[in-house]
Amino acid sequence: MAGTLFLCATPIGNLEDITLRVLRTLKEVDLIAAEDTRNSIRLLNHFEIKTKMTSYHEYNKIEKAAVLVEKMRQGLNVALITDAGTPGISDPGEELVRQCLDAGIEVTSLPGACACITALTMSGQPTRRFAFEAFLPYDKKEREEILQELKDETRTIILYEAPHHLKKTLRECREYLGNRPMTVCKELTKKYEKKLRGTLDEVIAFYEENEPRGEYVLVFEGKSRQALKKEAQEQWMEMSLTEHMDVYLKQGMDKKEAMKLVAKDRGLRKRDVYNELLKMQ
């Protein structure tokens, strides 16, 4: 019978955050695939786990996934661990999961620490709906495209960032997202865990005077629907009523339906739009 892939969440800082189930699984599987074996060996040594390890990372994720899938076809059970947190979240684990599922290999996930959820729950920002973007791409064009997409995002936004890129990323976010409320969480679960709440301008000013250190999670408040509606109305108000009507008439709508939509766009009553158009005629 084929083996199973176990996605094992590991601590993001505090070693006490590992679960009993993950510890048992890491001891029982035939092989542990680790993002960085040099980093993971410290975790395994701490908990006296002797299971054999192999490397599985961003630069060998496709070829090595095929090797691991073949081992599981032969009956071996494999545990996947990342440097910190839950495998498959902003790391190469998603490729191994995909190949396993395509090959009919059973995949199960052992829950535990995850930086984005930890930061979200302690941020004070709305938690019901959120958009997780992890690290922004290094490519300038891709980066700008994603920030442009996030500009009107109404859900809470979560980003990861390294200390040496933090100030640049905050300034870029200010350009696209505006001066909105946010929370910066750093060194989560560790001795020097900190969070800073404020507007983007306040956070930028703080890090101009205090050099960033540690790993960061940035949690931004989403844009309110009222703000989106107001911006849309302001854009429509830049047009004359006849130009606004033409937008819908050119789509094949009749005058009655076009007038109804124009009134809605501009926050007016349909009768007011009708009267204004009459005056213009």
Side-chain angles (χ1 to χ4, degrees):
M1 294 180 63
T4 298
L5 175 66
F6 296 88
L7 306 176
C8 295
T10 54
I12 57 177
N14 193 318
L15 291 179
E16 293 179 1
D17 291 335
I18 200 164
T19 70
L20 295 174
R21 185 181 173 205
V22 166
L23 289 175
R24 176 177 56 79
T25 300
L26 292 178
K27 290 176 181 178
E28 291 179 353
V29 293
D30 301 292
L31 182 65
I32 296 172
E35 188 174 9
D36 186 337
T37 55
R38 295 165 301 179
N39 179 65
S40 296
I41 193 64
R42 293 195 290 271
L43 175 73
L44 300 189
N45 285 343
H46 180 82
F47 291 107
E48 299 181 352
I49 296 170
K50 307 298 183 182
T51 308
K52 182 180 177 182
M53 267 199 303
T54 187
S55 64
Y56 177 77
H57 49 72
E58 183 64 30
Y59 303 104
N60 71 354
K61 64 182 181 182
I62 297 176
E63 299 83 1
K64 191 59 174 284
V67 173
L68 293 171
V69 166
E70 185 55 37
K71 290 182 181 295
M72 284 179 272
R73 282 184 190 275
Q74 296 170 9
L76 269 66
N77 290 317
V78 176
L80 177 66
I81 59 176
T82 183
D83 283 347
T86 300
I89 302 296
S90 186
D91 84 352
E94 61 182 332
E95 175 63 30
L96 179 55
V97 171
R98 187 181 302 112
Q99 289 198 32
C100 282
L101 294 177
D102 289 345
I105 302 294
E106 183 179 352
V107 177
T108 188
S109 184
L110 283 58
C114 182
C116 67
I117 299 299
T118 303
L120 175 65
T121 54
M122 66 184 284
S123 69
Q125 305 300 339
T127 60
R128 190 175 70 86
R129 301 166 62 247
F130 62 93
F132 174 58
E133 282 291 341
F135 289 94
L136 291 172
Y138 289 118
D139 181 80
K140 184 179 179 181
K141 186 177 179 182
E142 284 183 63
R143 196 177 179 92
E144 289 174 351
E145 287 174 354
I146 288 177
L147 286 169
Q148 187 63 43
E149 289 175 7
L150 293 175
K151 182 179 178 181
D152 293 329
E153 177 59 70
T154 59
R155 295 170 294 178
T156 298
I157 300 165
I158 305 173
L159 302 178
Y160 288 164
E161 195 49 275
H164 51 288
H165 290 233
L166 180 68
K167 290 193 280 190
K168 176 177 180 288
T169 296
L170 288 172
R171 288 193 294 267
E172 289 175 325
C173 288
R174 176 64 175 89
E175 179 183 348
Y176 285 89
L177 306 182
N179 187 30
R180 66 177 67 187
M182 70 170 299
T183 306
V184 178
C185 301
K186 72 170 219 175
E187 296 295 271
L188 291 170
T189 77
K190 300 177 184 177
K191 182 178 180 180
Y192 297 107
E193 173 183 284
K194 300 282 185 184
K195 69 173 177 293
L196 173 65
R197 295 183 69 197
T199 63
L200 244 169
D201 281 349
E202 290 169 341
V203 170
I204 289 170
F206 177 84
Y207 283 110
E208 288 299 330
E209 296 184 5
N210 298 272
E211 195 61 26
R213 299 182 188 280
E215 299 300 317
Y216 290 85
V217 184
L218 314 179
V219 187
F220 301 90
E221 181 178 279
K223 180 173 280 188
S224 72
R225 297 184 185 278
Q226 290 81 1
L228 281 174
K229 185 177 180 180
K230 183 180 178 183
E231 288 177 7
Q233 282 183 353
E234 289 172 351
Q235 289 176 352
W236 285 120
M237 295 299 282
E238 292 175 2
M239 290 184 177
S240 68
L241 274 175
T242 51
E243 290 172 333
H244 198 160
M245 283 285 292
D246 285 342
V247 170
Y248 293 118
L249 293 174
K250 287 176 181 178
Q251 295 176 24
M253 296 182 187
D254 60 36
K255 287 186 177 180
K256 185 177 179 182
E257 184 64 24
M259 202 176 297
K260 181 180 177 181
L261 290 174
V262 168
K264 182 180 178 183
D265 290 341
R266 300 171 87 94
L268 301 172
R269 295 182 303 172
K270 190 169 73 171
R271 180 184 294 275
D272 294 335
V273 173
Y274 176 75
N275 290 336
E276 285 298 318
L277 288 170
L278 275 180
K279 288 179 186 178
M280 293 172 71
Q281 290 176 0

